[in-house]
Amino acid sequence: MPRHYQISALEATWLIRNQELSCEEYILSIFERIDKTEGKIHAFITLLREQALEKAREVDKLVKKREGQGILSGIPIAIKDVICTNGVRTTCSSRMLKDYVPPYDATVVRKLNSEGAIIVGKTNMDEFAMGSTTETSFFGPTRNPWDLNKVPGGSSGGSAAAVIAEDVPLALGSDTGGSIRCPASYCSVVGLKPTYGLVSRYGLISYANSLEQIGPFARTVEDCALLLTIISGHDDKDSTSANLSSKDYVSLLKEDDVNGLRIGVPHEFFGEGVDDDVKDTVWEAILKLESLGCTYDEVSVSSVSYALAAYYIIAMSEASSNLARYDGLRFGFRQERDEGDWATVYAKNRKEGFGAEVRRRIILGTYALSAGYYDQYYLKALKVRTILRRDFERALKEFDVLIGPTMPVLPFGIGEKIDDPLTLYMCDVLTVPANITGYPAMSIPCGFKNNLPVGMQIMGKPFDEETVLRVAHLFEQNTDHNLRRPNL
Ligand code: GLN
């Protein structure tokens, strides 16, 4: 018999609804589990124990009366600390926002609450979502549950670690250049970056607004589909939100006919810099999919080699503009001795409020946007973006999905790369194309090397999340990588 905290979200909704599981007992078991693991992995910045238990008791009452239950009634979830929660501090893992308590909920949080989900805490991340390791958090790093000396990936490292540690069955992250897929790969969970515009960004604290999306983490593809069903859909509060009717991704999974599904394998995704261990594991997974009825062929998406450079110019430029509002006067951390003129005070607040990586990006972004350099950098990056989109559009005309590794290397040591930003940026080489193009992409567990997880990335056509999820589901149902758990 699995323990309460181990069951999937979908199963728990069923058990709670049928009064086979008391929600209070369930949430107590979740917090017992968090108490056991948190000292080792540090996935959370804020825990909401009392609030969550109170809500659990309410759910139990409603269930007894058979009243007003939502799709996620009683299901615990963790939220990345870049997503605003009314009355609960939302820090972005930054000293700048360490005491910020939003007066409103992000749209995704509002939707979760109205479906009865129970938010158990806010998760650790890289400061302002800038990074791939969760090491740049003002609150200290999160550790990889598979090896506590290794990074969990980032920037949504807390969310991914909490899910594989069985602290919660579901979590939300955000993905600007890989921040859901990278930690999903390094922690061996399922993580999906939706098509740009599918999920409202209202209440997501911006890093690079033209690239990012909020998305789900789970231990099963079905749970991931369930969470996506809840959070997706049009929102008047986000002008970039797509005007499409909503879908039930869980029932779409059941249409499991994947026979003859065409997989494109971009050979650039297996190029220089990608570890042989990673390549071999992902190729095995592709062959497995072939044995299950899919076909595959290699394809070339040659502009991929420019994606990383374009991504960092666009992301840093947008960051320099988005983060300009944190001056310590209207918003954010204010250092104590605020003497001098406005510029001096502003500079001091920002120097002390932001960490080194955030400052580096603001400076580089401001430079790329400044007169004389704008054309050389920012404008050129936008042109590359257009070319990349065209290339992927072409590739996805021939294929239903594109598959490759999520990360080029296995999880590495905490502290190992943090002083070498360029090497760290290189780790995003396979994830940024989906953000530049806006296309959906997902990472699923596909094997282990040296007892460390390897993730496979499945990229799809715009707003065709269901095909991506179906391929993932097919693979998951016929393998057992997603059943492995770390020893905590
Ligand atoms: N690692 C990438 C960066 O640092 C992606 C971050 C993200 O997706 N938020 O920009």
Side-chain angles (χ1 to χ4, degrees), residues 78-90:
I79 311 277
K80 185 179 182 181
D81 216 17
V82 66
I83 299 172
C84 286
T85 38
N86 189 2
V88 175
R89 76 172 174 156
T90 300

Side-chain angles (χ1 to χ4, degrees), residues 54-241:
E54 199 177 307
K55 198 159 171 196
R57 288 188 281 266
E58 269 170 42
V59 169
D60 282 334
K61 275 189 213 146
L62 288 175
V63 171
K64 281 212 182 82
K65 287 195 265 172
R66 303 203 171 273
E67 263 176 22
Q69 292 163 61
I71 299 172
L72 284 184
S73 239
I75 304 304
I77 184 165
I79 311 277
K80 185 179 182 181
D81 216 17
V82 66
I83 299 172
C84 286
T85 38
N86 189 2
V88 175
R89 76 172 174 156
T90 300
T91 68
C92 280
S93 280
S94 180
R95 186 183 199 186
M96 187 56 93
L97 290 180
K98 71 180 182 18
D99 301 314
Y100 174 58
V101 178
Y104 70 107
D105 276 329
T107 295
V108 290
V109 171
R110 182 181 53 72
K111 289 185 168 198
L112 286 168
N113 282 331
S114 66
E115 290 299 343
I118 298 184
I119 297 174
V120 300
K122 303 293 296 283
T123 56
N124 200 15
M125 53 184 274
D126 281 296
E127 184 177 6
F128 279 98
M130 296 175 187
S132 319
T133 62
T134 317
E135 288 170 289
T136 68
S137 168
F138 175 67
F139 301 94
T142 295
R143 294 175 177 274
N144 190 317
W146 295 96
D147 177 343
L148 299 176
N149 295 316
K150 299 261 190 297
V151 300
S155 64
S156 320
S159 289
V163 169
I164 198 61
E166 299 179 316
D167 289 344
V168 274
L170 302 175
L172 285 186
S174 67
D175 190 312
T176 312
S179 279
I180 291 175
R181 291 159 287 154
C182 160
S185 168
Y186 279 8
C187 292
S188 200
V189 296
V190 175
L192 171 77
K193 181 204 84 80
T195 310
Y196 189 79
L198 185 72
V199 176
S200 168
R201 287 183 299 108
Y202 179 74
L204 168 69
I205 298 178
S206 272
Y207 151 26
N209 47 286
S210 81
L211 300 161
E212 56 211 5
Q213 274 287 287
I214 294 172
F217 284 104
R219 291 188 294 265
T220 66
V221 174
E222 238 179 9
D223 273 5
C224 177
L226 175 67
L227 186 48
L228 183 67
T229 304
I230 308 292
I231 62 173
S232 55
H234 178 69
D235 181 16
D236 283 338
K237 292 195 172 112
D238 173 0
S239 59
T240 60
S241 151

